[in-house]
Amino acid sequence: MEWTDLRFFLAAVRGGNLSAAARELGVNYTTVGRRLDALQHGLGATLIQRTPDGLTLTRAGEAVRELCERIEATGLEVERRAAGQDRALGGTVRLTATETLAARFLIPATAALRKRHPELEIELVPDYRLLDLSRQQADLAMRNARPTDPHLVCRRVGGFAITLYASRAYLAARGKPRRGAGLAGHDLVSWTYLLPATRGQFMGESVADARIVFRSNSTLALMHAVAQGFGIGYIPCYLADEDPRLMRIWPDVTPSMQPLWLIHHEDLRRTARIKLVSDAIAAALRRDSRILRGEIHRPNARSRPQNPV
């Protein structure tokens, strides 16, 4: 049995099909199938059955799954602990954040850092999911929700303001809703997960008799949908205030604040390059804190192109 075949088994279990496992591992799906067949042949047991609905674990597969996860966890811990003793500033740091935070803040911060430390290599994974830092899907994550995993080190690095916006054309045609009276009769632009998370409210306003006309899990897509007149939407101020097509619905109302956390695995606590990149990002966010809080606009906000990212 090849121990590396266990990675293919676990990826197939997690993904539910060969294609998902191939994407996780960065290989062709036929490679996943071939390695699974080799593993099962070597063990003399069928671990996974292929069905029209995807992959299903057999009893033998269920019996060995937990053991395989322990082996994987031990191998990853060896790598993390070795990396955690690394005092070198050179090497690769894999970052993950939402696409807009990454483009607006992380790239400028790390570009400035690399001028001082050209031996650094930055790999950026724009993603709205919290990638599994224990499985080294990323070294350093920036998120607005603090994870509960006790093995993750979380550093509060500020926050960003978010409030309701609409296009000038939409407000001219439909009028501005009155604060405290709800959003009945208006078209809304929403994250795919927003309404369940806010119990049917936008910024404390009822959405009863309002209509969601556009959904996305991409902040950039939502901002452009609002700018194109789809309706009213929640947009981070650091993006929307720089787009001349957009207006705050209630400019006198204090925006909501979302925290920002820098997160890494505890085993990387002593890795010099992780601390270097983390400190550089934290410093950049402090310098831009008023922009993040929605307190100021860029001086050239009105002359910027209509794609601020």
Side-chain angles (χ1 to χ4, degrees), residues 24-298:
E24 177 181 338
L25 297 170
V27 299
N28 189 284
Y29 78 94
T30 57
T31 301
V32 178
R34 185 172 65 254
R35 298 294 291 268
L36 285 177
D37 290 341
L39 174 64
Q40 295 177 119
H41 179 76
L43 292 174
T46 300
L47 305 180
I48 291 180
Q49 291 180 332
R50 302 182 193 182
T51 72
D53 296 325
L55 302 177
T56 303
L57 278 176
T58 64
R59 285 189 177 182
E62 291 283 2
V64 303
R65 175 180 181 175
E66 183 180 352
L67 294 173
C68 292
E69 289 173 339
R70 289 185 203 170
I71 294 170
E72 178 191 48
T74 301
L76 291 172
E77 185 174 1
V78 169
E79 293 181 14
R80 288 196 307 269
R81 290 195 179 185
Q85 302 304 316
D86 189 357
R87 296 294 188 267
L89 294 179
T92 301
V93 177
R94 196 175 200 216
L95 306 175
T96 183
T98 64
E99 58 182 343
T100 50
L101 285 169
R104 184 63 179 79
F105 300 104
L106 292 194
I107 291 177
T110 52
L113 180 64
R114 279 208 72 257
K115 290 179 180 179
R116 301 191 300 273
H117 298 279
E119 68 275 18
L120 273 176
E121 296 179 8
I122 302 298
E123 182 177 348
L124 181 61
V125 184
D127 205 310
Y128 288 86
R129 301 168 298 162
L130 181 58
L131 300 184
D132 193 338
L133 303 186
S134 297
R135 294 175 54 218
Q136 297 182 311
Q137 292 180 336
D139 299 316
L140 190 63
M142 186 161 73
R143 287 291 182 263
N144 67 331
R146 182 172 186 169
T148 57
D149 187 339
H151 300 295
L152 297 181
V153 177
C154 302
R155 177 183 183 182
R156 179 76 179 264
V157 288
F160 65 91
I162 184 168
T163 191
L164 294 181
Y165 290 84
S167 70
R168 297 172 184 272
Y170 177 90
L171 293 178
R174 303 288 293 275
K176 181 186 295 187
R178 183 166 56 87
R179 180 65 169 156
L183 300 173
H186 280 278
D187 294 337
L188 306 180
V189 169
S190 171
W191 281 288
T192 52
Y193 53 82
L194 181 63
L195 284 182
T198 55
R199 295 189 176 94
Q201 294 185 340
F202 265 39
M203 203 172 173
E205 297 289 335
S206 170
V207 297
D209 298 321
R211 185 174 63 141
I212 297 179
V213 299
F214 186 95
R215 287 187 176 91
S216 177
N217 67 348
S218 163
T219 303
L220 186 59
L222 293 177
M223 186 193 73
H224 284 293
V226 172
Q228 292 296 325
F230 271 86
I232 297 170
Y234 255 138
I235 309 294
C237 298
Y238 69 81
L239 281 179
D241 283 345
E242 296 188 347
D243 192 315
R245 300 171 295 176
L246 300 178
M247 295 180 62
R248 294 190 188 187
I249 296 295
W250 300 303
D252 297 331
V253 176
T254 301
S256 301
M257 289 296 298
Q258 295 291 318
L260 280 176
W261 300 89
L262 279 178
I263 306 159
H264 63 81
H265 197 277
E266 63 182 2
D267 289 342
L268 299 179
R269 189 192 299 269
R270 297 182 181 87
T271 304
R273 63 180 177 273
I274 300 298
K275 186 177 187 306
L276 181 69
V277 173
S278 178
D279 288 347
I281 292 172
L285 294 178
R286 284 195 298 272
R287 288 193 297 270
D288 285 335
S289 60
R290 294 189 65 197
I291 295 172
L292 281 161
R293 295 196 301 265
E295 296 176 2
I296 59 174
H297 298 184
R298 283 276 176 170

